[in-house]
């Protein structure tokens, strides 16, 4: 905890959350445009409902309404614009992460701007791919479960095994996404590990805190009464702050454990 205070991780998490606020809407717009080419009805709605299991429902409703308004307008070039804006916005957040990771490791940024920007863009794309794969793994897992359940001779055991196994798979994909940040982000050579203790703590802590925050907002929160129409934005920003904080907390754990080559 001393490292979190010394390296101003809470302040860094607030800055990262601000940059992250601009990324999910064009990302979801791009995802919705891409999923429209797949012969799968209501896949985007299913993914948003699944996201609502972790993200506060008010924030998910805000994302859904924004995407639906843009998609129903059917503007030309929507996909290409969405890709460019989402990658650029996500790269801003990743670059803020990189600066925070340098503070965690006590480093000064020596890489030129073009290199850090390029790394930030690549990391934004890589983390997005891992996230989408995690969501799609849950969707395909559900379809496989239905298929197994419809095969009368297989019995319930394969369905139960798959329903249990797909969640660890999603957690591993999220851990892999965060480890990309830990490995490539700081201005120092890192020892590559497929699973680091910091990434495990970050993912598990993020899941637990997100579920707790969602429960609080659903049952006890009064953001709409306090903030009016921007209550959903405040909820989303708070959730992003918690997400950023746990990623940085994981970096602190890795730094303390010596996950670095000197």
């Amino acid at each position: 905890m001393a490292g979190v205070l010394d390296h101003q991780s809470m302040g860094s998490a607030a800055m990262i959350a601000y940059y992250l606020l601009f990324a999910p809407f064009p990302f979801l717009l791009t995802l919705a445009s891409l999923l429209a080419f797949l012969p799968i009805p209501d896949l985007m709605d299913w993914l948003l409902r699944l996201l609502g299991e972790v993200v506060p429902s008010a924030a998910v409703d805000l994302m859904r309404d924004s995407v639906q308004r843009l998609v129903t307008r059917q503007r030309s070039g929507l996909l290409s614009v969405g890709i460019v804006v989402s990658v650029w916005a996500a790269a801003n957040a990743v670059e803020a992460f990189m600066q925070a990771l340098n503070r965690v490791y006590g480093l000064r940024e020596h890489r030129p701007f073009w290199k850090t920007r390029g790394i930030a863009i690549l990391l934004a794309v890589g983390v997005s791919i891992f996230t989408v794969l995690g969501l799609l793994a849950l969707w395909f897992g559900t379809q496989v479960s239905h298929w197994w359940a419809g095969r009368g001779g297989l019995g319930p055991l394969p369905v139960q095994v798959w329903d249990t196994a797909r969640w660890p798979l999603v957690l591993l994909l999220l851990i892999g996404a965060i480890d990309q940040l830990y490995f490539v982000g700081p201005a120092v050579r890192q020892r590559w590990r497929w699973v680091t203790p910091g990434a495990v703590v970050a993912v598990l802590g993020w899941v637990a805190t997100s579920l707790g925050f969602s429960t609080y907002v659903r049952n006890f929160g009064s953001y709409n009464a306090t903030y009016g129409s921007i209550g959903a934005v405040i909820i989303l920003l708070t959730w992003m702050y918690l997400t950023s904080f746990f990623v940085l907390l994981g970096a602190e754990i890795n730094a303390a454990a010596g996950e670095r080559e000197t």
Side-chain angles (χ1 to χ4, degrees):
M1 191 63 185
V4 172
L5 298 176
D6 292 341
H7 302 139
Q8 301 178 342
S9 294
M10 289 182 286
S12 297
M15 178 177 65
I16 294 167
Y18 172 79
Y19 285 117
L20 281 175
L21 185 63
F22 298 94
F25 300 101
F27 173 74
L28 289 174
L29 173 62
T30 302
L31 187 60
S33 301
L34 290 173
L35 294 180
F37 293 99
L38 298 178
I40 303 173
D42 301 324
L43 179 55
M44 189 65 191
D45 288 338
W46 188 91
L47 292 176
L48 286 172
R49 286 197 301 271
L50 178 64
L51 193 62
E53 296 294 326
V54 179
V55 182
S57 58
V60 175
D61 291 340
L62 177 63
M63 296 179 191
R64 180 185 290 109
D65 293 343
S66 299
V67 172
Q68 287 177 347
R69 282 197 302 269
L70 288 172
V71 171
T72 53
R73 291 178 184 176
Q74 297 180 348
R75 293 178 177 177
S76 59
L78 199 61
L79 177 59
S80 58
V81 171
I83 291 175
V84 173
V85 174
S86 61
V87 170
W88 191 259
N92 290 335
V94 171
E95 199 162 355
F97 264 119
M98 293 166 64
Q99 295 172 8
L101 291 174
N102 284 336
R103 284 192 290 273
V104 169
Y105 286 107
L107 302 170
R108 294 187 62 183
E109 184 59 70
H110 61 273
R111 295 168 293 189
F113 170 79
W114 62 266
K115 186 173 183 178
T116 57
R117 193 63 183 178
I119 291 173
I121 292 174
L122 291 177
L123 281 174
V125 173
V127 171
S128 299
I129 289 174
F130 271 84
T131 303
V132 171
L133 286 177
L135 292 173
L136 290 179
L138 288 178
W139 184 86
F140 282 111
T142 301
Q143 304 310 306
V144 171
S145 295
H146 291 334
W147 180 82
W148 264 331
R151 310 288 293 186
L154 293 177
L157 183 60
V159 176
Q160 295 171 358
V161 171
W162 178 254
D163 283 342
T164 302
R166 60 190 174 130
W167 288 103
L169 174 61
V170 173
L171 291 178
L172 284 175
L173 287 171
L174 292 176
I175 290 171
I178 293 176
D179 272 328
Q180 289 184 76
L181 290 173
Y182 294 162
F183 178 68
V184 182
V188 66
R189 185 181 179 185
Q190 301 273 40
R191 292 183 298 174
W192 173 253
R193 301 286 181 86
W194 286 105
V195 177
T196 63
V200 173
V201 171
V203 169
L204 296 181
W206 169 76
V207 170
T209 303
S210 295
L211 292 174
F213 181 59
S214 297
T215 302
Y216 168 77
V217 170
R218 186 167 53 250
N219 297 301
F220 305 106
S222 57
Y223 285 84
N224 288 334
T226 304
Y227 297 103
S229 59
I230 65 169
V233 178
I234 299 298
I235 292 172
L236 180 60
L237 188 61
T238 303
W239 176 78
M240 288 178 171
Y241 170 80
L242 295 172
T243 300
S244 304
F245 174 76
F246 274 97
V247 174
L248 295 179
L249 178 63
E252 293 283 357
I253 293 173
N254 280 350
E259 295 289 331
R260 163 181 161 184
E261 286 187 6
T262 57

